[in-house]
Amino acid sequence: MSGLLRTIARRAAPVLRGHTVTQKANVYSAPAKEKIGPLETVVALTMFSVAILGPSGWILCHLEDYKKKAA
């Protein structure tokens, strides 16, 4: 049965897609136009760290509260 579905999908997919537009990625090999300063770098890394580690840290700090609610 899966072979039949695979065959139908292969034949129907190009018809359903129609004309596709080929997209090309914009890749630049030149150096950056503006330098990013050390302060901006520190602020950006801090924000990313807080955004990623903040929620998990909150959950780990309040783990005992979550355990009490479940019981």
Side-chain angles (χ1 to χ4, degrees):
M1 186 67 174
S2 65
L4 177 65
L5 291 175
R6 190 178 317 132
T7 304
I8 293 171
R10 283 184 185 162
R11 292 187 180 174
V15 174
L16 294 174
R17 285 188 201 128
H19 297 289
T20 58
V21 178
T22 305
Q23 296 179 352
K24 185 177 178 183
N26 296 326
V27 178
Y28 299 103
S29 61
K33 292 180 182 177
E34 296 179 14
K35 287 275 189 181
I36 298 176
L39 180 64
E40 292 172 327
T41 304
V42 169
V43 169
L45 289 174
T46 303
M47 295 300 285
F48 278 121
S49 298
V50 168
I52 293 171
L53 298 175
S56 58
W58 176 271
I59 291 170
L60 288 174
C61 286
H62 293 89
L63 197 57
E64 293 300 322
D65 298 334
Y66 294 127
K67 286 181 181 178
K68 290 176 185 175
K69 284 183 183 179

